Amino acid sequence: MTVDSITIKMSGRIFNSVDIISRYIDIILAAKERGMRLAIVTGGGDTARRYIEAGRQLSLSEAANDMLGIGASRLNALLLIYAINARGGTVHPRVVTSLEEAGEAWLDSGLVVMGGLQPGQSTTMVSTLVSEYLGIRKILNCANVDGLYESDPAKDPKAKKIRRATIDEAEKILERSAEVVAGTYELIDRWALSIMKRSGISMQIIDGRSPEMLEAALSGRDDVGSIIVPW
């Protein structure tokens, strides 16, 4: 069964491929035509990492580096807005930069796009905050991996994939790695999980490199990727 309102968190690395972006737009527009309301949060990806690395070499503070990352995420959001509009989609025409703006845009079009909000927040956390603010109870996290693992699969080829976990179980996994500096956020951070817990929000983590995974998840399939549930 599908739901009427969904938040989509798009990894910034999706924006490395024009073909993948184009496919995502097709899927987003098709969902909108079916009557779904979508809040989309874009990451900064490699553009953010490049600027943050330059910032570190120039001895900028972590807060300043975070602002560079936020700028990159908003640039990706603007590209998505322009591309959706170019195909005749009805999307709020500006990148949302606050929760208040998100609420106004939500009432206006039911399709809003945003990047980061403030230093110290991952865009995954932004996706939980905007979901809470708009009353959305499910997030589709189009990530750089195909689900939640007990440890980093890029470092541990034997890492076990977890199909379903509660927030408490996911928090225990996060306890093993807690570093949070600009441009190095993990798949999901404890602050995002705390927002999910207090508002009963679930998150399905799917492979963002394969747009068909988003299509499947939007159709209501919960057997793709991994799902984190409040309890």
Side-chain angles (χ1 to χ4, degrees), residues 47-210:
T47 299
R49 277 177 277 277
R50 186 165 62 251
Y51 273 87
I52 289 168
E53 178 57 32
R56 291 210 175 97
Q57 292 181 29
L58 293 168
S59 301
L60 300 188
S61 68
E62 284 302 307
N65 286 330
D66 256 331
M67 291 305 297
L68 292 173
I70 289 169
S73 71
R74 291 178 178 176
L75 185 63
N76 286 338
L78 189 61
L79 174 63
L80 193 63
I81 288 169
Y82 285 162
I84 289 172
N85 278 333
R87 296 194 189 178
T90 304
V91 58
H92 186 69
R94 295 183 300 278
V95 176
V96 167
T97 59
S98 72
L99 293 180
E100 292 84 358
E101 285 182 33
E104 294 170 3
W106 188 248
L107 292 174
D108 177 51
S109 68
L111 176 55
V112 300
V113 185
M114 61 195 299
L117 290 181
Q118 66 183 37
Q121 289 180 342
S122 67
T123 46
T124 302
M125 183 175 177
V126 172
S127 72
T128 64
L129 286 169
V130 74
S131 296
E132 180 180 61
Y133 192 78
L134 299 178
I136 298 171
R137 292 292 173 259
K138 186 167 185 180
I139 300 166
L140 300 180
N141 186 346
C142 304
N144 297 320
V145 293
D146 63 350
L148 177 68
Y149 285 79
E150 288 184 339
S151 58
D152 187 347
K155 299 176 181 178
D156 179 9
K158 296 182 179 179
K160 181 181 177 182
K161 184 176 181 179
I162 302 168
R163 291 290 182 180
R164 186 179 182 90
T166 64
I167 290 174
D168 288 342
E169 290 168 341
E171 284 177 335
K172 291 178 182 178
I173 294 171
L174 284 177
E175 288 175 359
R176 305 189 189 108
S177 59
E179 184 180 30
V180 178
V181 295
T184 64
Y185 298 114
E186 302 297 334
L187 178 65
I188 182 170
D189 52 74
R190 63 169 61 88
W191 296 277
L193 289 171
S194 70
I195 300 297
M196 290 167 59
K197 179 182 288 187
R198 76 183 186 185
S199 290
I201 298 168
S202 64
M203 177 182 289
Q204 190 170 353
I205 301 167
I206 58 177
D207 193 341
R209 300 163 295 186
S210 302

